[in-house]
Amino acid sequence: MCSSAHMTSRAMAGEINEGSVPAYYREVHEAICCRTDERVQTEVFQRLLQRTDLSKAAISQIAEHVDSTDGFLTKLSLYKALALIALAQQGKQPSPKLFESFIQELPKPQLGEPRELRALRMQPAQDDVLTLAQTLETLLAKDTVQVELIPEKKGLFLKHVEYQVTSQRYRISVYRRYSDFDVFHELLLQKFAYRIVPALPPKRMLKGVLTSVSEREFIEGRKRALNRFINLVARHPFFSEDELVKTFLTFSGSDVQTRLRDTCKKSGDEFMTNRVATQAKEYLPADIQAQFSTSRELIKNIHISFQKLRDRAEKMAERSKENATDLLQFGRELSALGSDASTLPSLAPSQSSWGTLRQSLKSLSVEFAVLSDKAAQQGRREEDDVVEKLNFFLDLLQSYRDLCERHEKGVLHEHQKALHKYGVMKRQMMSATVQSKEQASVEQLESRIVQQESAIQTMELRNYFSLFCLHQETQLIFTYLPITSHILGAFVNSQVQGHKEMGEVWNELQPRLGCLFGSKNGLKTPI
């Protein structure tokens, strides 16, 4: 216990020194703090206040003088609250100013036996910690980010491609190069190695002026892929609130890559910052490996099916584009046929109407150009609304597959290697003891074994945390599954709209043919 003089010097500042509190304070804290750290939930603290039998006014005053952050009290804040409770129970006005003249041991509040207070603790159930309380709607509502190509900023000769990235959440537009995305992706993998981190599209260096269609198609495809990547990241339940993501979406300075690296240096990876990381094993179900294997196989089959759906949707979009080209060419051929001003030969029947019909054909190319435009719009709708949504979900599924491989080839593999190395060292130790080698050599080997044991313990904790995250990321995949209805809705709507627009033009064209060619226009008369 600290001296009275020390107690007084701390109390004059209205503070509580952790080393100066009575044992009862520590016992109360131990009874009601979170199981995973030293903080106390404000809900638990409010329940504690209700046990004091103090007036509402006194309880309100105590609550005002106690600091809380993000729904939690620190250990010292609780100690301060316990002192104020005790003083209020003595009939004094609860205020930190009372500490300024307080020279004795802090008073003991009347709260009962500490073990009785454990019922106040509101630690979430294990399943609640492990379960993602998210819906597809809440994920999609987190943010919508648009990635647009802006080659005009660099004139005709492009040394690199630049993108305008606009976040709906932060209401800001920033400019990014592919290399900025690359650094951002690398840092995400470092910080969230046990989470789904979507892959980036290939870089492929550009040379010279972009004149070839294939080169432009590649750049457009990469832009779409970057758009999918950043939206998956911005909507991830754990990435979305991270400072690294916010920096990428909002920093408008000249060197975003340095800023991103500096942001990442401020904290370690997720294992070092997540409050349940070292207790992850306690929250995992006993059959976690069986659950993981079953889910992984199911998601693998879903992945294969969605790849087939995407391939078919791409073919339909391509056919719509080909249809647009064919309709336009069909109209041009009619126009060319109608533009032929050659005189009919004498062999032609005198009553032939070909000359009149030929002149009418030329004007039909306008309607076929409209039909071609409608078919092209249909192709773009199928590509933008259907294929792109399928690719969005496929990117997520592929990233989950990559995560599973990282878990098996990464932390799990390293853990097995460490265990093997530990076994070798133990055998060396036994051999050295039997052969009575020099004491210094044996002590050095013992020190290495202790270090290896510590490394194995850390790897075991990381392995369990990796499984913990993998379990949550598996839930994320299933949370995204209802996007199937969005995809089907987009597909049906694109077909309804496309056929409606095309039908309207065909219906307008049908009576026109009757006017051009008379009653026997070939529409109903068999050949």
Side-chain angles (χ1 to χ4, degrees), residues 139-145 167-170 231 234-235 249:
L139 290 175
L140 297 179
K142 286 181 179 294
D143 200 357
T144 297
V145 185
S167 166
Q168 196 175 86
R169 175 183 180 182
Y170 295 109
N231 275 283
R235 294 167 180 171
L249 292 174

Side-chain angles (χ1 to χ4, degrees), residues 259-309:
R259 186 60 173 263
L260 288 169
R261 290 192 173 96
D262 290 344
T263 300
C264 213
K265 287 177 183 176
K266 294 177 183 178
S267 61
D269 70 349
E270 190 184 10
F271 178 78
M272 303 298 294
T273 58
N274 191 299
R275 67 185 182 88
V276 301
T278 55
Q279 287 86 29
K281 182 180 179 180
E282 300 176 15
Y283 297 101
L284 292 172
D287 61 342
I288 180 63
Q289 291 290 359
Q291 286 189 31
F292 169 56
S293 297
T294 302
S295 298
R296 185 178 183 182
E297 186 64 25
L298 175 59
I299 291 172
K300 176 185 175 182
N301 293 334
I302 291 171
H303 192 176
I304 293 171
S305 294
F306 269 84
Q307 283 179 324
K308 293 178 179 178
L309 289 172

Side-chain angles (χ1 to χ4, degrees), residues 47-74:
R47 289 189 175 190
L48 183 71
L49 287 175
Q50 299 304 317
R51 291 175 61 96
T52 62
D53 295 326
L54 294 171
S55 66
K56 290 184 178 180
I59 290 176
S60 178
Q61 289 175 336
I62 292 171
E64 287 179 5
H65 294 307
V66 177
D67 297 327
S68 64
T69 305
D70 297 330
F72 292 92
L73 278 71
T74 64

Side-chain angles (χ1 to χ4, degrees), residues 9-26:
S9 64
R10 297 290 298 177
M12 286 182 68
E15 299 176 10
I16 298 294
N17 180 22
E18 183 178 349
S20 66
V21 301
Y24 181 77
Y25 282 40
R26 301 180 191 279

Side-chain angles (χ1 to χ4, degrees), residues 212-225:
S212 68
V213 174
S214 60
E215 198 71 36
R216 290 188 179 277
E217 286 177 346
F218 167 78
I219 295 173
E220 174 63 23
R222 189 172 70 176
K223 185 209 77 171
R224 288 174 178 268

Side-chain angles (χ1 to χ4, degrees), residues 92-209:
K92 299 176 182 178
Q93 193 79 1
S95 170
K97 291 182 179 180
L98 292 174
F99 300 154
E100 295 178 6
S101 58
F102 208 84
I103 60 174
Q104 300 174 352
E105 181 180 272
L106 290 172
K108 177 181 176 181
Q110 302 301 312
L111 298 170
E113 290 296 320
R115 64 175 178 271
E116 297 175 357
L117 302 177
R118 291 175 183 170
L120 302 177
R121 182 158 50 189
M122 296 176 63
Q123 177 69 22
Q126 290 187 0
D127 288 343
D128 292 334
V129 176
L130 196 57
T131 302
L132 286 181
Q134 301 280 344
T135 64
L136 178 61
E137 286 67 31
T138 57
L139 290 175
L140 297 179
K142 286 181 179 294
D143 200 357
T144 297
V145 185
Q146 291 292 333
V147 177
E148 297 296 338
L149 194 64
I150 47 170
E152 64 271 13
K153 286 180 67 70
K154 298 301 176 183
L156 293 175
F157 297 93
L158 302 185
K159 296 182 179 179
H160 58 258
V161 177
E162 196 167 21
Y163 304 93
Q164 179 177 305
V165 180
T166 305
S167 166
Q168 196 175 86
R169 175 183 180 182
Y170 295 109
R171 301 178 183 276
I172 189 173
S173 293
V174 292
Y175 297 103
R176 298 287 181 259
R177 300 179 186 177
Y178 179 88
S179 59
D180 300 329
F181 279 93
D182 195 28
V183 170
F184 178 53
H185 178 259
E186 174 191 338
L187 295 174
L188 275 176
L189 276 174
Q190 289 177 15
K191 190 168 186 179
F192 297 102
Y194 311 125
R195 301 285 181 189
I196 289 177
V197 178
L200 283 180
K203 181 178 181 179
R204 200 170 115 186
M205 297 298 294
L206 308 178
K207 296 180 180 180
V209 184

